[in-house]
Amino acid sequence: TQLLEQSPQFLSIQEGENLTVYCNSSSVFSSLQWYRQEPGEGPVLLVTVVTGGEVKKLKRLTFQFGDARKDSSLHITAAQPGDTGLYLCAGAGGSGNTGKLIFGQGTTLQVKP
Amino acid sequence: KAGVTQTPRYLIKTRGQQVTLSCSPISGHRSVSWYQQTPGQGLQFLFEYFSETQRNKGNFPGRFSGRQFSNSRSEMNVSTLELGDSALYLCASSLRPGTGSLSTGELFFGEGSRLTVL
């Protein structure tokens, strides 16, 4: 069974601080997606990374896919209260798993003003 | 265009009852996936439908079932409800089926149906 482990599970920081969320697996994925979910809503896709070593930037968010395509990270620079939410990584296309996304447990981020 | 619509948004049932949840995908999307989200387990894949056919199924008991209609709308049913079935049930639609090695398609999620089993 493929698993994606996210760390940390909870993060509470002050506005302006930087943070990194990690998503690790022992399995190789063809692509990895990051979603953000706010209370009372469904997850919304932030980015998809496909190539090993790929780095994508979305304003203050930087996403990286590991060279071996087994892990990924999300770095937020100068966090703002609007960044508060649940961040989920999801792997696609792993071995024997071509039909569904495997989600990590999520990282709950709270950014205090 | 309208997003994914799930109904009902909230419902309360008692053990032993059954429940049916509905999902209307984004217009033009033919693939619908269902996920169960709980604080302890996170998002767990239930099943995926494309063109009225179940393409993939997660590791849930047979009490969980679903179907898709010709207009791509989907329903999921849970029979003989248990306390542990309390969760947020999320539906997601996409243009093409599966998220296999050739697919990096985005999933568009609805707001979910929050089920409480007493």
Side-chain angles (χ1 to χ4, degrees):
Chain A
T1 303
Q2 294 180 299
L3 292 173
L4 274 171
E5 295 186 1
Q6 279 187 244
S7 61
Q9 288 189 32
F10 301 97
L11 198 51
S12 181
I13 61 173
Q14 293 294 137
E15 181 177 1
E17 293 184 9
N18 301 333
L19 67 117
T20 302
V21 177
Y22 299 94
C23 179
N24 297 300
S25 176
S26 58
S27 303
V28 175
F29 290 96
S30 297
S31 65
L32 202 136
Q33 300 178 350
W34 284 91
Y35 289 81
R36 178 165 165 261
Q37 184 177 18
E38 297 189 43
E41 299 182 7
V44 176
L45 181 69
L46 295 173
V47 77
T48 300
V49 285
V50 180
T51 307
E54 181 177 4
V55 177
K56 281 191 174 179
K57 292 193 174 184
L58 186 65
K59 297 183 180 179
R60 294 176 293 100
L61 279 60
T62 301
F63 304 85
Q64 185 166 6
F65 202 11
D67 291 341
R69 290 185 287 127
K70 292 182 179 181
D71 54 85
S72 181
S73 64
L74 157 61
H75 182 80
I76 301 179
T77 303
Q80 298 177 1
D83 295 328
T84 294
L86 176 67
Y87 289 83
L88 296 155
C89 65
S95 174
N97 181 38
T98 57
K100 57 192 179 188
L101 278 178
I102 301 296
F103 279 86
Q105 293 286 77
T107 295
T108 299
L109 171 64
Q110 180 187 45
V111 182
K112 302 174 187 175
Chain B
K1 54 184 175 182
V4 178
T5 304
Q6 290 189 245
T7 57
R9 288 290 312 277
Y10 303 91
L11 66 166
I12 299 174
K13 294 285 187 178
T14 56
R15 282 179 296 175
Q17 288 186 312
Q18 73 165 12
V19 65
T20 298
L21 309 177
S22 178
C23 172
S24 294
I26 291 172
S27 178
H29 286 194
R30 296 166 61 194
S31 175
V32 173
S33 301
W34 288 89
Y35 289 82
Q36 181 195 65
Q37 185 175 31
T38 59
Q41 299 295 321
L43 270 92
Q44 303 278 306
F45 174 78
L46 282 158
F47 25 65
E48 179 192 20
Y49 289 87
F50 179 76
S51 294
E52 303 178 65
T53 301
Q54 186 181 89
R55 285 179 43 89
N56 267 296
K57 191 176 189 302
N59 298 320
F60 279 81
R63 300 184 297 107
F64 292 81
S65 63
R67 59 178 174 170
Q68 186 179 34
F69 302 95
S70 58
N71 61 358
S72 294
R73 190 177 71 84
S74 177
E75 288 181 349
M76 68 162 283
N77 184 276
V78 187
S79 62
T80 320
L81 284 166
E82 301 177 359
L83 295 178
D85 297 333
S86 294
L88 180 67
Y89 290 88
L90 290 162
C91 165
S93 75
S94 60
L95 278 171
R96 53 183 180 271
T99 54
S101 58
L102 297 180
S103 170
T104 58
E106 176 178 0
L107 287 182
F108 293 83
F109 284 88
E111 294 179 318
S113 292
R114 184 165 295 282
L115 169 66
T116 301
V117 182
L118 302 176

